[in-house]
Amino acid sequence: MKKPGEVFADASVYDPGIEAIVPRYDELHDTILNAPPHDRDEPVSVLELGAGTGELTTKLLTRFPESEVLAVDHSDRMLEQAERKLATFGDRVALESGAFPDDYPRADGEYDLVVSSLAVHHLDEAGKRDLFDDIYDSLAPGGWFINGDVIRFDAPHLETLSGDMIENWVRSKGWEESEFMDEWEASDDYDDPSTLTDQLVWLRESGFEAVTSIWQYYNFAVYGGGKSE
Ligand SMILES: C[S@@+](CC[C@H](N)C(=O)[O-])C[C@H]1O[C@@H](n2cnc3c(N)ncnc32)[C@H](O)[C@@H]1O
């Protein structure tokens, strides 16, 4: 039984597989890493939610060489892949098994940065709102939350446009979408993307300031906000 967000039955195909079905996957990650106000050489304490196989984690630890990252995920299969990949970073990274928002790691208090990529859209509205509250509470003054994720359009024709765009993307990688889904055992997980507008409002309501969208490509967006000093 797959957990929400695992995408593939076999976690070892996740890395090449996700790039074939998420358009501009690297650009989305790059934007998440470009958005925080912190300098490269600052000792940044980071919480990553839904780290999966550790793709964003690797880029984060490289981009911020003085950072320490706690990477959380509810999938042990994904964490196994991440563990192998991240071993080279030693004790700068810790992996934790848990499902947010219920198991949100508050123990050590204040993070300078909370990031997530392609994970939060698996929560319903109440789950997202609870999570945004938890993130806000766990951030140090001046800290930031940046999320890169799937969003939903209210307008049906824009949902159709996004679906067509993804189909074309998969085709450009040499696959027909249905064939790809069968071959790679990818599934429609429990997805519940919310509109970007709703999420920006919920972030404001959780207390975030400077709430904004930073990047968008059809139904993928990078957005977030900061906690005042
Ligand atoms: C599509 S993958 C994204 C992985 C990685 N962030 C990336 O950019 O490639 C989503 C990940 O979020 C995890 N996930 C989804 N919902 C979660 C939840 N409520 N708690 C913990 N992990 C969750 C899944 O297990 C999966 O590893």
Side-chain angles (χ1 to χ4, degrees), residues 4-5 7 14 25 29 50-52 73-75 78 98-100 117-119 123:
V7 188
Y14 178 89
Y25 175 73
H29 279 179
D73 202 289
H74 64 184
S75 163
M78 299 291 262
F100 48 79
S117 156
L118 303 171
L123 301 177

Side-chain angles (χ1 to χ4, degrees), residues 208-227:
F208 284 94
E209 296 187 349
V211 169
T212 188
S213 164
I214 302 147
W215 176 95
Q216 184 172 352
Y217 187 68
Y218 295 83
N219 61 328
F220 295 89
V222 176
Y223 53 95
K227 185 168 182 169

